[in-house]
Amino acid sequence: MHRVLITGAGGGIGRSLRETLRSVYPVLRLSDRVPIAPARDGEEVDQAEIADITAVERIVAGVDGIIHLGGISGENSWEKILESNIVGLYNVFEAARRAGVKRIVMATSNHAVGFYPRSQTIDHKVVPRPDSRYGVSKAFSEALASLYADKHGMGFLCTRIGNFGTKPIDSRRLSIWISPRDYTQLVRIGLEHPDIHFEIVYGVSNNKRSWYDNSNAYRLGYKPQDDSEPYAADILPSEAGQPKNPVAERYQGGTFCAEEYDAPTPPS
Ligand code: 15L
């Protein structure tokens, strides 16, 4: 990998990877729809809207691998999800195919499978159970990656990210947290592993309270360094007595499941 493109480089994960991957690859090309900090040594900055295929063709030209973080990172109107997470995603994969890019690491999300109950441990083979229009767009991204892997021989690591941050922020995130260093390790596996066709892994640290069987990531060599458990002693008492939504509490996707929820009986 000589030149690696990060889309969505201005977001929280993008800004973190910009630092942790600095000097790992000779050139990092950083792109976002909004202005970001100017390029330093070993960096290229190119502002682009991923819904614009001409702009996407420009940012993928000459890159060896892509970390695709661009798009909307939470629930939104169908029109906005369609523009950024469906059309924008398609543009990135299609422009990459035409440019001969062979490897893409994708930020998919726990919300592609958010309607699995917290009582169930799920692996990378479960069928999608999206909890939102956003979650549907992430399931779409996994399906499109599968198509481009099988039909065009491109390699995809789909990282179903839980919640990225320097520490978990609430009890739900104790089960789905991923630290910056663990996510960096997973991204590097996605770009550098010699044998990746189409893989789904969970983007989570080694959390004691995990809802995921992440054996597929471990098979690829992932050795997470962090566990949310030391934070539980602070987080759990701080939530005691707080009102909780029963739908949000029952399912892995939390409040994403509860928003707009009006089914007469909860899904099993
Ligand atoms: C996500 O997919 C979002 O991008 C992030 O903002 C959080 O909401 C996270 O999931 C989560 O479930 O905590």
Side-chain angles (χ1 to χ4, degrees):
M1 290 280 152
H2 177 76
R3 180 177 280 103
V4 171
L5 166 67
I6 304 181
T7 66
I13 302 179
R15 288 197 309 275
S16 173
L17 289 178
R18 182 176 185 173
E19 299 310 318
T20 57
L21 295 179
R22 186 161 163 74
S23 308
V24 171
Y25 305 111
V27 184
L28 278 186
R29 181 175 294 168
L30 305 153
S31 183
D32 203 292
R33 68 190 304 184
V34 297
I36 59 173
R40 303 169 294 187
D41 273 358
E43 293 179 342
E44 301 169 344
V45 167
D46 190 342
Q47 191 174 342
E49 167 58 69
I50 57 171
D52 172 359
I53 184 70
T54 310
V56 178
E57 282 169 349
R58 188 185 69 236
I59 61 171
V60 304
V63 308
D64 304 297
I66 299 175
I67 305 165
H68 181 51
L69 309 172
I72 291 175
S73 61
E75 183 60 315
N76 214 309
S77 68
W78 172 243
E79 290 71 23
K80 290 215 165 88
I81 295 283
L82 178 65
E83 182 185 37
S84 294
N85 291 16
I86 306 286
V87 175
L89 175 95
Y90 178 80
N91 287 345
V92 171
F93 287 10
E94 179 55 14
R97 179 190 71 78
R98 289 190 220 144
V101 180
K102 289 281 175 244
R103 194 57 77 85
I104 300 184
V105 177
M106 261 295 305
T108 169
S109 168
N110 71 91
H111 297 291
V113 288
F115 257 119
Y116 281 95
R118 296 184 183 192
S119 55
Q120 189 174 342
T121 299
I122 58 173
D123 67 9
H124 59 289
K125 293 184 185 146
V126 295
V127 296
R129 288 188 78 175
D131 57 23
S132 48
R133 292 175 288 278
Y134 166 68
V136 169
S137 75
K138 292 300 178 182
F140 171 82
S141 75
E142 295 172 2
L144 197 69
S146 177
L147 172 68
Y148 274 67
D150 285 346
K151 190 160 275 194
H152 305 300
M154 295 162 67
F156 288 86
L157 184 72
C158 299
T159 60
R160 281 187 185 156
I161 302 173
N163 190 252
F164 176 95
T166 50
K167 56 183 190 168
I169 53 175
D170 59 22
S171 58
R172 176 173 165 270
R173 271 57 173 250
L174 291 173
S175 298
I176 66 169
W177 174 62
I178 186 161
S179 66
R181 66 175 170 176
D182 284 345
Y183 193 58
T184 302
Q185 188 195 141
L186 208 44
V187 164
R188 289 195 61 178
I189 289 169
L191 291 174
E192 297 169 30
H193 193 289
D195 185 24
I196 286 186
H197 176 66
F198 168 75
E199 301 292 349
I200 292 176
V201 295
Y202 288 92
V204 292
S205 286
N206 184 28
N207 303 319
K208 185 178 167 214
R209 294 167 195 255
S210 182
W211 297 320
Y212 309 118
D213 165 356
N214 211 9
S215 49
N216 201 36
Y218 300 147
R219 185 185 63 80
L220 293 168
Y222 180 48
K223 291 187 179 59
Q225 306 294 300
D226 294 304
D227 177 356
S228 62
E229 201 53 23
Y231 299 97
D234 282 340
I235 288 175
L236 296 177
S238 75
E239 289 185 14
Q242 277 179 13
K244 301 261 187 186
N245 179 301
V247 172
E249 287 303 299
R250 178 168 177 159
Y251 299 105
Q252 297 181 0
T255 55
F256 282 65
C257 301
E259 279 168 27
E260 303 174 40
Y261 181 89
D262 57 7
T265 46
S268 56

